Amino acid sequence: MDPFAHLAEAYEAWYETPLGAYVIAEEEKALRALLPPGESLLEVGAGTGYWLRRLAYPVRVALEPSEAMRKVGLRKTPQAVWVAGRGEDLPFDAERFDLVLLFTTLEFVGDVERVLAEARRVLKPGGALLLGILEALSPWAALYRRLGEKGVAPWKEARFLAREDLKALLGPPEVEKEAVFLAPEAQPPYPEADEAGRRAGNRPALYLGRWR
């Protein structure tokens, strides 16, 4: 069953709300800080292609298992090559891409270790694996976990990881970033709320790490 089947058309709508716009801008800032140079990018779990529209690699390939998300992605992000498939079994030759990106994708895969092994398999020598996760110990993951308990899609299918889990599987990253320390119920001004969340010791909503 596709947990995104009824969400695809409105998937990016939250980014247009005041809070959503602040959050996605902070996440983009962190993501861009970790982008390496290169010619070819594969995004595993590309969704509707939001990031692929913004990351100007000459070759952009979107792997997405959800037919509904691919349909929207093909319309919104025609500059990417869209491929149906799952992260556990990438339909690509070894050593093909300079960068493999998984941005809040590991939460929805069946076998995290298999997905990571496949991502590394298709990287060129010296290529970069860039992972973004919804930090399991953050207030945002607590909200999504609660929604999942209530049967709300797609969170009822989600499994959350902490940075420690990634480091246990892959070793320390060469560089890492964090973004979004405010709580999901935060009120504007959001920069002040974000700084307050940082001072309070909140885990960030997003953790990003880059491995070679």
Side-chain angles (χ1 to χ4, degrees):
M1 185 176 178
D2 180 0
F4 294 93
H6 302 295
L7 304 173
E9 287 294 338
Y11 188 71
E12 297 179 17
W14 186 68
Y15 304 154
E16 299 174 7
T17 67
L19 177 57
Y22 177 81
V23 167
I24 200 65
E26 290 297 297
E27 293 181 343
E28 182 167 354
K29 193 186 309 179
L31 175 60
R32 287 189 178 279
L34 298 192
L35 290 176
E39 295 292 317
S40 53
L41 161 64
L42 167 66
E43 184 176 7
V44 177
T48 55
Y50 183 85
W51 293 121
L52 290 174
R53 295 198 296 276
R54 286 159 172 76
L55 306 181
Y57 286 77
V59 177
R60 283 168 272 182
V61 179
L63 183 105
E64 174 55 48
S66 166
E67 182 179 359
M69 296 288 262
R70 283 197 314 276
K71 183 177 178 181
V72 175
L74 280 163
R75 187 177 74 244
K76 288 192 168 190
T77 316
Q79 57 268 58
V81 176
W82 286 84
V83 179
R86 299 169 63 247
E88 289 90 345
D89 188 18
L90 295 178
F92 307 110
D93 293 335
E95 301 184 1
R96 178 168 172 184
F97 299 99
D98 295 306
L99 171 63
V100 176
L101 170 65
L102 291 92
F103 192 97
T104 64
T105 294
L106 291 176
E107 290 79 5
F108 300 99
V109 305
D111 187 335
V112 170
E113 292 187 49
R114 173 71 177 171
V115 170
L116 295 176
E118 277 288 277
R120 287 183 138 179
R121 178 183 67 81
V122 302
L123 277 174
K124 294 178 182 178
L129 174 61
L130 183 47
L131 304 176
I133 59 169
L134 295 166
E135 170 68 70
L137 301 178
S138 72
W140 291 81
L143 169 64
Y144 297 146
R145 200 175 287 114
R146 179 59 175 157
L147 292 174
E149 291 169 356
K150 290 177 174 291
V152 176
W155 306 112
K156 62 181 179 179
E157 309 294 337
R159 175 178 57 179
F160 298 98
L161 301 169
R163 69 191 68 190
E164 291 84 359
D165 300 316
L166 294 182
K167 293 175 182 179
L169 291 168
L170 298 171
E174 65 174 359
V175 63
E176 58 190 352
K177 285 285 185 180
E178 304 171 319
V180 187
F181 293 85
L182 50 67
E185 301 86 359
Q187 299 297 313
Y190 296 125
E192 292 182 12
D194 206 46
E195 182 56 35
R198 188 189 293 268
R199 290 198 309 272
N202 287 353
R203 283 278 181 122
L206 180 71
Y207 169 82
L208 287 159
R210 189 178 75 203
W211 286 260
R212 295 283 180 178

Short mmCIF file of all heavy atoms in Angstrom, two decimals, residues 122-183:
data_model
loop_
_atom_site.label_atom_id
_atom_site.label_comp_id
_atom_site.label_asym_id
_atom_site.label_seq_id
_atom_site.Cartn_x
_atom_site.Cartn_y
_atom_site.Cartn_z
N VAL A 122 26.25 2.52 -5.92
CA VAL A 122 26.11 3.30 -7.16
C VAL A 122 26.90 4.59 -7.15
O VAL A 122 26.88 5.34 -8.13
CB VAL A 122 24.62 3.58 -7.47
CG1 VAL A 122 23.84 2.28 -7.60
CG2 VAL A 122 23.99 4.49 -6.43
N LEU A 123 27.64 4.86 -6.07
CA LEU A 123 28.48 6.05 -6.02
C LEU A 123 29.79 5.81 -6.77
O LEU A 123 30.40 4.74 -6.67
CB LEU A 123 28.82 6.40 -4.57
CG LEU A 123 27.79 7.22 -3.79
CD1 LEU A 123 28.24 7.33 -2.33
CD2 LEU A 123 27.60 8.59 -4.40
N LYS A 124 30.21 6.83 -7.49
CA LYS A 124 31.54 6.80 -8.10
C LYS A 124 32.60 6.81 -7.01
O LYS A 124 32.35 7.28 -5.89
CB LYS A 124 31.73 8.01 -9.01
CG LYS A 124 30.85 8.04 -10.24
CD LYS A 124 31.09 9.32 -11.05
CE LYS A 124 30.19 9.40 -12.26
NZ LYS A 124 30.39 10.65 -13.03
N PRO A 125 33.80 6.33 -7.30
CA PRO A 125 34.89 6.45 -6.31
C PRO A 125 35.08 7.91 -5.90
O PRO A 125 35.17 8.81 -6.74
CB PRO A 125 36.12 5.93 -7.09
CG PRO A 125 35.54 4.98 -8.10
CD PRO A 125 34.21 5.59 -8.50
N GLY A 126 35.08 8.15 -4.60
CA GLY A 126 35.18 9.51 -4.09
C GLY A 126 33.87 10.25 -4.04
O GLY A 126 33.82 11.41 -3.61
N GLY A 127 32.77 9.59 -4.47
CA GLY A 127 31.46 10.22 -4.45
C GLY A 127 30.94 10.39 -3.03
O GLY A 127 31.49 9.85 -2.07
N ALA A 128 29.87 11.16 -2.91
CA ALA A 128 29.34 11.53 -1.59
C ALA A 128 27.94 10.98 -1.37
O ALA A 128 27.09 11.01 -2.27
CB ALA A 128 29.31 13.05 -1.44
N LEU A 129 27.72 10.46 -0.17
CA LEU A 129 26.40 10.04 0.29
C LEU A 129 25.90 11.08 1.27
O LEU A 129 26.54 11.33 2.30
CB LEU A 129 26.49 8.67 0.97
CG LEU A 129 25.23 8.13 1.64
CD1 LEU A 129 24.10 7.95 0.63
CD2 LEU A 129 25.52 6.83 2.37
N LEU A 130 24.79 11.72 0.95
CA LEU A 130 24.25 12.80 1.77
C LEU A 130 22.89 12.37 2.32
O LEU A 130 21.97 12.06 1.56
CB LEU A 130 24.11 14.07 0.92
CG LEU A 130 23.61 15.35 1.58
CD1 LEU A 130 24.32 15.63 2.89
CD2 LEU A 130 23.79 16.53 0.63
N LEU A 131 22.80 12.30 3.64
CA LEU A 131 21.60 11.80 4.31
C LEU A 131 20.98 12.88 5.17
O LEU A 131 21.67 13.56 5.93
CB LEU A 131 21.95 10.60 5.21
CG LEU A 131 22.64 9.42 4.54
CD1 LEU A 131 23.01 8.37 5.59
CD2 LEU A 131 21.75 8.80 3.46
N GLY A 132 19.67 13.04 5.04
CA GLY A 132 18.91 13.92 5.91
C GLY A 132 17.83 13.11 6.60
O GLY A 132 17.05 12.41 5.93
N ILE A 133 17.78 13.17 7.91
CA ILE A 133 16.78 12.41 8.67
C ILE A 133 15.97 13.32 9.58
O ILE A 133 16.46 14.37 10.02
CB ILE A 133 17.41 11.29 9.52
CG1 ILE A 133 18.43 11.85 10.51
CG2 ILE A 133 18.02 10.21 8.62
CD1 ILE A 133 18.89 10.85 11.56
N LEU A 134 14.75 12.92 9.83
CA LEU A 134 13.94 13.55 10.86
C LEU A 134 14.43 13.01 12.20
O LEU A 134 14.16 11.85 12.54
CB LEU A 134 12.46 13.24 10.64
CG LEU A 134 11.86 13.81 9.35
CD1 LEU A 134 10.52 13.17 9.06
CD2 LEU A 134 11.73 15.32 9.46
N GLU A 135 15.18 13.81 12.92
CA GLU A 135 15.86 13.38 14.13
C GLU A 135 14.86 12.78 15.13
O GLU A 135 13.89 13.42 15.55
CB GLU A 135 16.58 14.57 14.74
CG GLU A 135 17.15 14.40 16.10
CD GLU A 135 18.30 13.41 16.14
OE1 GLU A 135 19.38 13.72 15.62
OE2 GLU A 135 18.10 12.34 16.74
N ALA A 136 15.11 11.51 15.50
CA ALA A 136 14.16 10.74 16.30
C ALA A 136 13.87 11.34 17.66
O ALA A 136 12.79 11.11 18.23
CB ALA A 136 14.67 9.30 16.47
N LEU A 137 14.81 12.10 18.19
CA LEU A 137 14.66 12.66 19.53
C LEU A 137 14.19 14.11 19.52
O LEU A 137 14.24 14.79 20.54
CB LEU A 137 15.98 12.54 20.30
CG LEU A 137 16.51 11.11 20.45
CD1 LEU A 137 17.84 11.11 21.18
CD2 LEU A 137 15.49 10.23 21.17
N SER A 138 13.71 14.58 18.38
CA SER A 138 13.25 15.96 18.26
C SER A 138 11.77 16.09 18.59
O SER A 138 11.02 15.11 18.52
CB SER A 138 13.48 16.46 16.83
OG SER A 138 12.56 15.85 15.94
N PRO A 139 11.30 17.31 18.91
CA PRO A 139 9.86 17.52 19.11
C PRO A 139 9.04 17.19 17.87
O PRO A 139 7.89 16.76 17.97
CB PRO A 139 9.78 19.02 19.46
CG PRO A 139 11.12 19.37 20.01
CD PRO A 139 12.10 18.52 19.25
N TRP A 140 9.61 17.38 16.68
CA TRP A 140 8.88 17.10 15.45
C TRP A 140 8.64 15.60 15.28
O TRP A 140 7.55 15.18 14.91
CB TRP A 140 9.64 17.67 14.25
CG TRP A 140 9.64 19.16 14.24
CD1 TRP A 140 10.46 19.99 14.95
CD2 TRP A 140 8.75 20.01 13.51
NE1 TRP A 140 10.14 21.31 14.70
CE2 TRP A 140 9.10 21.34 13.82
CE3 TRP A 140 7.70 19.77 12.62
CZ2 TRP A 140 8.43 22.44 13.27
CZ3 TRP A 140 7.04 20.86 12.06
CH2 TRP A 140 7.40 22.17 12.40
N ALA A 141 9.66 14.80 15.58
CA ALA A 141 9.47 13.35 15.50
C ALA A 141 8.45 12.88 16.53
O ALA A 141 7.68 11.95 16.26
CB ALA A 141 10.80 12.63 15.69
N ALA A 142 8.42 13.52 17.69
CA ALA A 142 7.41 13.16 18.69
C ALA A 142 6.00 13.41 18.15
O ALA A 142 5.09 12.59 18.33
CB ALA A 142 7.64 13.96 19.97
N LEU A 143 5.82 14.54 17.46
CA LEU A 143 4.52 14.84 16.85
C LEU A 143 4.18 13.80 15.78
O LEU A 143 3.07 13.26 15.76
CB LEU A 143 4.55 16.23 16.22
CG LEU A 143 3.37 16.58 15.31
CD1 LEU A 143 2.07 16.60 16.10
CD2 LEU A 143 3.61 17.92 14.61
N TYR A 144 5.12 13.52 14.89
CA TYR A 144 4.85 12.58 13.81
C TYR A 144 4.60 11.17 14.34
O TYR A 144 3.77 10.43 13.81
CB TYR A 144 6.02 12.57 12.82
CG TYR A 144 6.26 13.90 12.14
CD1 TYR A 144 7.54 14.31 11.80
CD2 TYR A 144 5.20 14.76 11.84
CE1 TYR A 144 7.76 15.52 11.16
CE2 TYR A 144 5.41 15.97 11.22
CZ TYR A 144 6.70 16.35 10.89
OH TYR A 144 6.91 17.56 10.26
N ARG A 145 5.31 10.81 15.40
CA ARG A 145 5.10 9.49 16.01
C ARG A 145 3.68 9.39 16.57
O ARG A 145 3.00 8.38 16.42
CB ARG A 145 6.14 9.28 17.10
CG ARG A 145 6.36 7.82 17.49
CD ARG A 145 7.49 7.70 18.49
NE ARG A 145 8.80 7.91 17.88
CZ ARG A 145 9.60 8.93 18.15
NH1 ARG A 145 9.24 9.86 19.02
NH2 ARG A 145 10.77 9.03 17.56
N ARG A 146 3.23 10.47 17.19
CA ARG A 146 1.87 10.49 17.74
C ARG A 146 0.83 10.41 16.62
O ARG A 146 -0.17 9.70 16.73
CB ARG A 146 1.66 11.76 18.57
CG ARG A 146 0.28 11.91 19.17
CD ARG A 146 -0.06 10.75 20.08
NE ARG A 146 -1.34 10.95 20.75
CZ ARG A 146 -2.08 9.96 21.23
NH1 ARG A 146 -1.67 8.70 21.15
NH2 ARG A 146 -3.22 10.23 21.83
N LEU A 147 1.06 11.14 15.53
CA LEU A 147 0.15 11.05 14.39
C LEU A 147 0.12 9.64 13.82
O LEU A 147 -0.94 9.13 13.43
CB LEU A 147 0.57 12.04 13.31
CG LEU A 147 0.40 13.53 13.65
CD1 LEU A 147 0.99 14.40 12.55
CD2 LEU A 147 -1.07 13.87 13.87
N GLY A 148 1.28 9.00 13.79
CA GLY A 148 1.34 7.62 13.33
C GLY A 148 0.53 6.68 14.21
O GLY A 148 -0.16 5.78 13.71
N GLU A 149 0.59 6.91 15.51
CA GLU A 149 -0.20 6.09 16.43
C GLU A 149 -1.69 6.24 16.18
O GLU A 149 -2.48 5.32 16.42
CB GLU A 149 0.13 6.48 17.87
CG GLU A 149 1.53 6.10 18.31
CD GLU A 149 1.91 6.72 19.64
OE1 GLU A 149 1.10 7.51 20.18
OE2 GLU A 149 3.01 6.42 20.14
N LYS A 150 -2.08 7.41 15.68
CA LYS A 150 -3.49 7.66 15.37
C LYS A 150 -3.87 7.20 13.96
O LYS A 150 -5.01 7.41 13.53
CB LYS A 150 -3.79 9.16 15.52
CG LYS A 150 -3.75 9.65 16.96
CD LYS A 150 -3.99 11.15 17.02
CE LYS A 150 -4.12 11.64 18.45
NZ LYS A 150 -5.36 11.17 19.10
N GLY A 151 -2.91 6.62 13.24
CA GLY A 151 -3.20 6.08 11.92
C GLY A 151 -3.13 7.09 10.80
O GLY A 151 -3.63 6.84 9.70
N VAL A 152 -2.49 8.25 11.04
CA VAL A 152 -2.42 9.30 10.03
C VAL A 152 -1.30 8.99 9.04
O VAL A 152 -0.15 8.74 9.43
CB VAL A 152 -2.17 10.68 10.68
CG1 VAL A 152 -2.01 11.76 9.63
CG2 VAL A 152 -3.31 11.01 11.64
N ALA A 153 -1.63 9.00 7.75
CA ALA A 153 -0.63 8.80 6.70
C ALA A 153 0.18 10.07 6.47
O ALA A 153 -0.38 11.17 6.60
CB ALA A 153 -1.31 8.36 5.41
N PRO A 154 1.46 9.97 6.14
CA PRO A 154 2.23 8.73 5.97
C PRO A 154 2.90 8.25 7.24
O PRO A 154 3.65 7.28 7.22
CB PRO A 154 3.29 9.14 4.95
CG PRO A 154 3.61 10.56 5.35
CD PRO A 154 2.28 11.16 5.78
N TRP A 155 2.62 8.92 8.37
CA TRP A 155 3.40 8.70 9.58
C TRP A 155 3.15 7.34 10.21
O TRP A 155 4.00 6.84 10.95
CB TRP A 155 3.14 9.83 10.58
CG TRP A 155 3.40 11.15 9.95
CD1 TRP A 155 2.50 12.12 9.65
CD2 TRP A 155 4.66 11.63 9.47
NE1 TRP A 155 3.10 13.18 9.02
CE2 TRP A 155 4.43 12.91 8.89
CE3 TRP A 155 5.95 11.11 9.48
CZ2 TRP A 155 5.46 13.66 8.34
CZ3 TRP A 155 6.98 11.86 8.92
CH2 TRP A 155 6.72 13.11 8.36
N LYS A 156 2.03 6.71 9.90
CA LYS A 156 1.80 5.38 10.47
C LYS A 156 2.77 4.35 9.90
O LYS A 156 2.94 3.27 10.46
CB LYS A 156 0.35 4.94 10.22
CG LYS A 156 -0.03 4.79 8.77
CD LYS A 156 -1.49 4.39 8.64
CE LYS A 156 -1.91 4.25 7.18
NZ LYS A 156 -3.33 3.82 7.06
N GLU A 157 3.43 4.70 8.78
CA GLU A 157 4.42 3.81 8.17
C GLU A 157 5.85 4.19 8.53
O GLU A 157 6.79 3.52 8.11
CB GLU A 157 4.28 3.84 6.64
CG GLU A 157 2.87 3.61 6.12
CD GLU A 157 2.38 2.21 6.40
OE1 GLU A 157 3.22 1.31 6.60
OE2 GLU A 157 1.15 2.02 6.43
N ALA A 158 6.03 5.27 9.28
CA ALA A 158 7.37 5.82 9.49
C ALA A 158 8.10 5.15 10.66
O ALA A 158 7.49 4.71 11.63
CB ALA A 158 7.29 7.32 9.73
N ARG A 159 9.42 5.12 10.51
CA ARG A 159 10.31 4.67 11.59
C ARG A 159 11.44 5.69 11.66
O ARG A 159 12.09 5.98 10.66
CB ARG A 159 10.87 3.29 11.26
CG ARG A 159 11.89 2.80 12.26
CD ARG A 159 12.38 1.41 11.93
NE ARG A 159 12.94 1.34 10.58
CZ ARG A 159 13.46 0.22 10.07
NH1 ARG A 159 13.43 -0.89 10.77
NH2 ARG A 159 13.97 0.24 8.86
N PHE A 160 11.68 6.23 12.86
CA PHE A 160 12.59 7.36 12.99
C PHE A 160 13.96 6.91 13.48
O PHE A 160 14.09 6.01 14.30
CB PHE A 160 11.99 8.40 13.93
CG PHE A 160 10.70 8.96 13.43
CD1 PHE A 160 9.49 8.47 13.87
CD2 PHE A 160 10.70 9.96 12.46
CE1 PHE A 160 8.29 8.97 13.37
CE2 PHE A 160 9.51 10.47 11.96
CZ PHE A 160 8.30 9.97 12.42
N LEU A 161 14.98 7.59 12.96
CA LEU A 161 16.36 7.33 13.32
C LEU A 161 16.96 8.56 13.98
O LEU A 161 16.55 9.69 13.70
CB LEU A 161 17.19 7.01 12.07
CG LEU A 161 16.75 5.81 11.24
CD1 LEU A 161 17.50 5.80 9.92
CD2 LEU A 161 16.98 4.52 12.00
N ALA A 162 17.92 8.34 14.83
CA ALA A 162 18.72 9.42 15.40
C ALA A 162 20.09 9.42 14.72
O ALA A 162 20.49 8.45 14.09
CB ALA A 162 18.87 9.23 16.90
N ARG A 163 20.80 10.53 14.88
CA ARG A 163 22.14 10.62 14.27
C ARG A 163 23.05 9.50 14.75
O ARG A 163 23.91 9.01 14.00
CB ARG A 163 22.75 11.98 14.56
CG ARG A 163 23.12 12.18 16.04
CD ARG A 163 23.46 13.60 16.35
NE ARG A 163 22.28 14.45 16.24
CZ ARG A 163 22.33 15.77 16.28
NH1 ARG A 163 23.48 16.38 16.42
NH2 ARG A 163 21.23 16.48 16.20
N GLU A 164 22.85 9.09 16.00
CA GLU A 164 23.68 8.01 16.54
C GLU A 164 23.48 6.70 15.76
O GLU A 164 24.41 5.91 15.62
CB GLU A 164 23.36 7.79 18.02
CG GLU A 164 23.80 8.92 18.92
CD GLU A 164 22.81 10.07 19.00
OE1 GLU A 164 21.75 10.01 18.34
OE2 GLU A 164 23.08 11.04 19.75
N ASP A 165 22.27 6.49 15.26
CA ASP A 165 22.00 5.29 14.47
C ASP A 165 22.79 5.31 13.16
O ASP A 165 23.36 4.30 12.74
CB ASP A 165 20.50 5.17 14.18
CG ASP A 165 19.67 5.07 15.44
OD1 ASP A 165 20.07 4.32 16.36
OD2 ASP A 165 18.63 5.74 15.52
N LEU A 166 22.81 6.48 12.50
CA LEU A 166 23.56 6.59 11.25
C LEU A 166 25.05 6.40 11.49
O LEU A 166 25.73 5.71 10.71
CB LEU A 166 23.31 7.96 10.60
CG LEU A 166 21.90 8.25 10.11
CD1 LEU A 166 21.86 9.63 9.45
CD2 LEU A 166 21.42 7.19 9.13
N LYS A 167 25.56 6.98 12.55
CA LYS A 167 26.99 6.86 12.84
C LYS A 167 27.37 5.44 13.21
O LYS A 167 28.48 4.98 12.89
CB LYS A 167 27.37 7.85 13.94
CG LYS A 167 27.25 9.31 13.50
CD LYS A 167 27.51 10.28 14.62
CE LYS A 167 27.32 11.72 14.15
NZ LYS A 167 27.55 12.71 15.23
N ALA A 168 26.45 4.71 13.83
CA ALA A 168 26.72 3.31 14.14
C ALA A 168 26.80 2.47 12.87
O ALA A 168 27.56 1.50 12.79
CB ALA A 168 25.63 2.76 15.07
N LEU A 169 26.03 2.84 11.85
CA LEU A 169 26.00 2.10 10.60
C LEU A 169 27.12 2.51 9.64
O LEU A 169 27.67 1.66 8.92
CB LEU A 169 24.65 2.31 9.90
CG LEU A 169 23.43 1.68 10.56
CD1 LEU A 169 22.15 2.21 9.92
CD2 LEU A 169 23.49 0.16 10.45
N LEU A 170 27.47 3.80 9.64
CA LEU A 170 28.36 4.33 8.61
C LEU A 170 29.67 4.90 9.14
O LEU A 170 30.55 5.24 8.35
CB LEU A 170 27.64 5.45 7.84
CG LEU A 170 26.39 5.05 7.08
CD1 LEU A 170 25.66 6.29 6.56
CD2 LEU A 170 26.72 4.11 5.93
N GLY A 171 29.80 5.02 10.46
CA GLY A 171 30.94 5.73 11.01
C GLY A 171 30.67 7.22 11.04
O GLY A 171 29.61 7.69 10.62
N PRO A 172 31.63 7.99 11.50
CA PRO A 172 31.42 9.45 11.58
C PRO A 172 31.36 10.07 10.19
O PRO A 172 32.11 9.69 9.30
CB PRO A 172 32.64 9.94 12.37
CG PRO A 172 33.67 8.89 12.17
CD PRO A 172 32.94 7.59 12.04
N PRO A 173 30.48 11.06 9.99
CA PRO A 173 30.44 11.76 8.70
C PRO A 173 31.62 12.70 8.57
O PRO A 173 32.22 13.12 9.56
CB PRO A 173 29.12 12.53 8.78
CG PRO A 173 28.95 12.80 10.24
CD PRO A 173 29.51 11.60 10.95
N GLU A 174 31.93 13.07 7.33
CA GLU A 174 33.01 14.04 7.13
C GLU A 174 32.56 15.44 7.49
O GLU A 174 33.37 16.30 7.83
CB GLU A 174 33.54 13.99 5.70
CG GLU A 174 32.57 14.39 4.62
CD GLU A 174 33.24 14.45 3.25
OE1 GLU A 174 34.46 14.19 3.16
OE2 GLU A 174 32.54 14.77 2.28
N VAL A 175 31.24 15.68 7.42
CA VAL A 175 30.68 16.97 7.81
C VAL A 175 29.20 16.76 8.12
O VAL A 175 28.57 15.85 7.57
CB VAL A 175 30.89 18.02 6.69
CG1 VAL A 175 30.15 17.64 5.43
CG2 VAL A 175 30.50 19.42 7.16
N GLU A 176 28.66 17.58 9.01
CA GLU A 176 27.26 17.44 9.40
C GLU A 176 26.66 18.80 9.68
O GLU A 176 27.36 19.77 9.96
CB GLU A 176 27.12 16.52 10.62
CG GLU A 176 27.90 16.97 11.83
CD GLU A 176 27.95 15.94 12.95
OE1 GLU A 176 27.26 14.90 12.87
OE2 GLU A 176 28.68 16.18 13.93
N LYS A 177 25.32 18.86 9.59
CA LYS A 177 24.58 20.10 9.84
C LYS A 177 23.27 19.75 10.55
O LYS A 177 22.77 18.62 10.47
CB LYS A 177 24.26 20.82 8.53
CG LYS A 177 25.43 21.54 7.89
CD LYS A 177 25.78 22.82 8.64
CE LYS A 177 26.86 23.60 7.93
NZ LYS A 177 27.21 24.84 8.64
N GLU A 178 22.70 20.77 11.19
CA GLU A 178 21.40 20.65 11.85
C GLU A 178 20.52 21.82 11.42
O GLU A 178 21.02 22.87 11.05
CB GLU A 178 21.55 20.69 13.37
CG GLU A 178 22.48 19.65 13.94
CD GLU A 178 22.75 19.87 15.42
OE1 GLU A 178 22.92 21.05 15.81
OE2 GLU A 178 22.77 18.89 16.17
N ALA A 179 19.21 21.60 11.51
CA ALA A 179 18.29 22.70 11.18
C ALA A 179 16.97 22.48 11.89
O ALA A 179 16.53 21.35 12.10
CB ALA A 179 18.05 22.77 9.67
N VAL A 180 16.33 23.59 12.28
CA VAL A 180 14.97 23.67 12.83
C VAL A 180 14.92 23.15 14.26
O VAL A 180 14.68 21.97 14.53
CB VAL A 180 13.94 22.92 11.95
CG1 VAL A 180 12.54 23.19 12.48
CG2 VAL A 180 14.06 23.35 10.48
N PHE A 181 15.14 24.07 15.18
CA PHE A 181 15.11 23.75 16.61
C PHE A 181 13.80 24.17 17.28
O PHE A 181 13.54 23.79 18.41
CB PHE A 181 16.29 24.43 17.31
CG PHE A 181 17.63 23.89 16.90
CD1 PHE A 181 18.26 24.37 15.76
CD2 PHE A 181 18.25 22.91 17.65
CE1 PHE A 181 19.50 23.87 15.37
CE2 PHE A 181 19.48 22.40 17.27
CZ PHE A 181 20.10 22.88 16.13
N LEU A 182 13.00 24.97 16.60
CA LEU A 182 11.72 25.38 17.19
C LEU A 182 10.75 24.20 17.24
O LEU A 182 10.93 23.20 16.54
CB LEU A 182 11.13 26.57 16.42
CG LEU A 182 10.99 26.53 14.88
CD1 LEU A 182 9.99 25.52 14.40
CD2 LEU A 182 10.63 27.92 14.38
N ALA A 183 9.72 24.33 18.07
CA ALA A 183 8.73 23.26 18.20
C ALA A 183 7.66 23.38 17.12
O ALA A 183 7.47 24.46 16.54
CB ALA A 183 8.08 23.34 19.58
#
